[in-house]
Amino acid sequence: MSDTAPDARREKASGAKIIRYRGVIKHYGEFHALNGVDLDVHAGEVVCLIGPSGSGKSTLLRCTNGLESIEGGDIEFEGALLARDERSLRGVRQRMGMVFQSFELFPHLTALENVAEGPRTVRRMKIMEANRRALAMLAKVGLSDKPASYPSALSGGQQQRVAIARALAMEPDVMLFDEPTSALDPETIGEVLNVMKTLAEEGMTMVVVTHEMSFARRVGDWVAVFDAGRIVEQGPPEQIFDAPTTERTRDFLSHLGWAG
Amino acid sequence: MTFDWSVVWQHRDVLAAGTGTTILLTVATMAIAVPCGIVVAVLRLYGPAPIRTVATAYVELFRNLPLILVVYWAFYVLPILTGLGLPPLATGLAALSLNVTAYNAETFRAGINSIRRGQVDAAMALGMSRGQALRRVVLPQALRRILPVLASTWVSLFKDTSLVSVIAVAELAYVSMQIRSQTFRVLEMLTAMATIYWLLGYPQAKFVDWMQCRFKVTE
């Protein structure tokens, strides 16, 4: 539905296209998780993927860094077609940070060790240097007082912020967020969203699967509405939330009680 | 009926040596069976199909044979198969290792399977290879989870080493039985043997209980 995506209304469309999805198709057996998805992500943009559960948003994110393979279409990252072999994919993943709904911190490591793990194991950085970087990243997410804490001793919001720091420690070009606040208590959602907002303001390119409509509204540069493995509408947040052009978008937003 | 407990004291050197051999067998068997168990478990989980089948066959064979049979088999058949005339201690060690490796492999496999997929996803998303994810993320967590099971295996093994007495390995059970048949002091020697096994085994069992509390998984 690229005709609903007039780039003229897209502020950061002048930036280089970091990710391009073209006709992306993904099956799980008989189930068609993605049914031909077209989407561009420009440098410095925050692209929010919204829509009902099971509509393919998270699947698209997992295909972006090759955690899932695709059956059809193309995904381009920084001008090159996404590799299919594990070795090249590892190189791509190092340039894409990923944050998961269930945090997935390593429970046997402290917060500092969690953040230093990528630089140490993947970038083969010396332990002192990796720790210095990890401390800086923890400070960035407001957790410089928790380096020695194990994940089990941290609140959900703190764990998710450590997970963001862990992804940032690899100095990625893009951050992928897979429902980062869905598993959080309401009172800790804000601290995670604030960290994400700061990142966005610093110019980080972000793809965010979210059910936080106010975040998508305020922070998003571009919003794509998913339904049944397709994008039913995409556009700037003002269009999606104030003047949706498709019945399906109106339907979805009204189910959420979105009142603009 | 009169008892003569002095027989135990008279043979203290032999009993001490036997106890030493029992401990040596336990430690050496575990030293072999833990790394080998990890290798077999990883091969069974991630190896190419033919190797997976071989690993599975090995585990299911040795897990379901009586240990005493494996001990006899190692004693009579292994020299024919390999052409090596191993001393009894090495033969006993081989039999115990074959058995305990199979058990440990199952324990490790269960431990690895208990780590949820998201952990591997998180490791891979950082750019780790499957091998790195296994070594840095999955195995350390799996090991913690199964430590109490490994400790239980250890305590069982400590007692099961007595089975290699049937091929004349001079461990605690064997030397006790030897002294019994030389002195005819049956009750004294069986009691002495029971006491030594119990005194060594009980603290180990308590240690296992302590570990089960200490390494309870917190997430």
Side-chain angles (χ1 to χ4, degrees), chain A residues 21-47:
Chain A
Y21 304 92
R22 284 293 171 268
V24 175
I25 292 170
K26 170 74 191 175
H27 302 164
Y28 293 104
E30 290 294 291
F31 179 67
H32 289 215
L34 294 174
N35 250 327
V37 170
D38 294 314
L39 180 68
D40 292 336
V41 179
H42 300 88
E45 248 181 356
V46 177
V47 173

Side-chain angles (χ1 to χ4, degrees), chain A residues 62 68 86 90 93-94 96 100 104-108 117 121-122 124 152 166 170, chain B residues 116-119 121-129 132 136-137 140-141 144 218:
Chain A
R62 294 173 60 83
E68 304 278 353
E86 275 296 317
R90 290 210 292 276
R93 290 186 188 127
Q94 291 174 36
M96 293 187 191
F100 299 85
E104 300 300 350
L105 289 181
F106 306 131
H108 59 300
E117 183 59 34
T121 303
V122 180
R124 310 236 170 255
S152 57
R166 176 177 66 179
M170 294 296 286
Chain B
R116 63 169 186 269
R117 181 179 166 190
Q119 287 284 300
D121 284 347
M124 304 271 282
L126 286 172
M128 285 192 204
S129 66
Q132 286 173 327
R136 302 286 306 178
V137 175
Q141 292 183 58
R144 253 157 248 245
T218 48

Side-chain angles (χ1 to χ4, degrees), chain A residues 27-218:
Chain A
H27 302 164
Y28 293 104
E30 290 294 291
F31 179 67
H32 289 215
L34 294 174
N35 250 327
V37 170
D38 294 314
L39 180 68
D40 292 336
V41 179
H42 300 88
E45 248 181 356
V46 177
V47 173
C48 292
L49 314 183
I50 65 171
S53 299
S55 59
K57 319 175 292 289
S58 293
T59 303
L60 188 73
L61 214 57
R62 294 173 60 83
C63 291
T64 310
N65 66 354
L67 286 182
E68 304 278 353
S69 58
I70 58 175
E71 269 79 52
D74 291 318
I75 301 176
E76 274 179 35
F77 175 58
E78 296 182 337
L81 223 51
L82 201 65
R84 301 269 170 132
D85 67 297
E86 275 296 317
R87 181 175 289 272
S88 327
L89 270 179
R90 290 210 292 276
V92 169
R93 290 186 188 127
Q94 291 174 36
R95 290 182 281 147
M96 293 187 191
M98 191 166 196
V99 175
F100 299 85
Q101 180 178 352
S102 47
F103 325 137
E104 300 300 350
L105 289 181
F106 306 131
H108 59 300
L109 302 178
T110 63
L112 185 81
E113 289 167 338
N114 261 283
V115 180
E117 183 59 34
R120 276 186 66 188
T121 303
V122 180
R123 293 237 197 274
R124 310 236 170 255
M125 204 179 263
K126 291 211 173 57
I127 185 160
M128 292 290 284
E129 202 186 337
N131 283 350
R132 205 174 313 126
R133 179 184 288 190
L135 266 179
M137 291 304 141
L138 283 177
K140 194 177 170 68
V141 298
L143 287 171
S144 40
D145 56 332
K146 300 280 184 197
S149 300
Y150 282 91
S152 57
L154 297 173
S155 74
Q158 291 170 329
Q159 288 189 56
Q160 194 60 298
R161 285 189 283 153
V162 174
I164 294 173
R166 176 177 66 179
L168 289 175
M170 294 296 286
E171 301 185 319
D173 300 340
V174 187
M175 285 285 285
L176 309 174
F177 291 87
D178 188 5
E179 299 196 26
T181 58
S182 297
L184 294 177
D185 294 332
E187 63 263 37
T188 61
I189 288 177
E191 62 191 64
V192 171
L193 291 181
N194 280 338
V195 168
M196 292 168 63
K197 187 163 173 282
T198 308
L199 268 183
E201 283 161 5
E202 289 170 1
M204 175 62 79
T205 309
M206 295 164 49
V207 185
V208 185
V209 174
T210 187
H211 292 297
E212 291 294 322
M213 293 306 138
S214 56
F215 177 84
R217 176 79 170 86
R218 283 183 296 113

Side-chain angles (χ1 to χ4, degrees), chain B residues 146-163:
Chain B
I146 63 172
L147 214 49
V149 184
L150 283 182
S152 304
T153 305
W154 173 284
V155 174
S156 300
L157 168 64
F158 176 73
K159 292 175 292 180
D160 288 347
T161 52
S162 57
L163 289 171

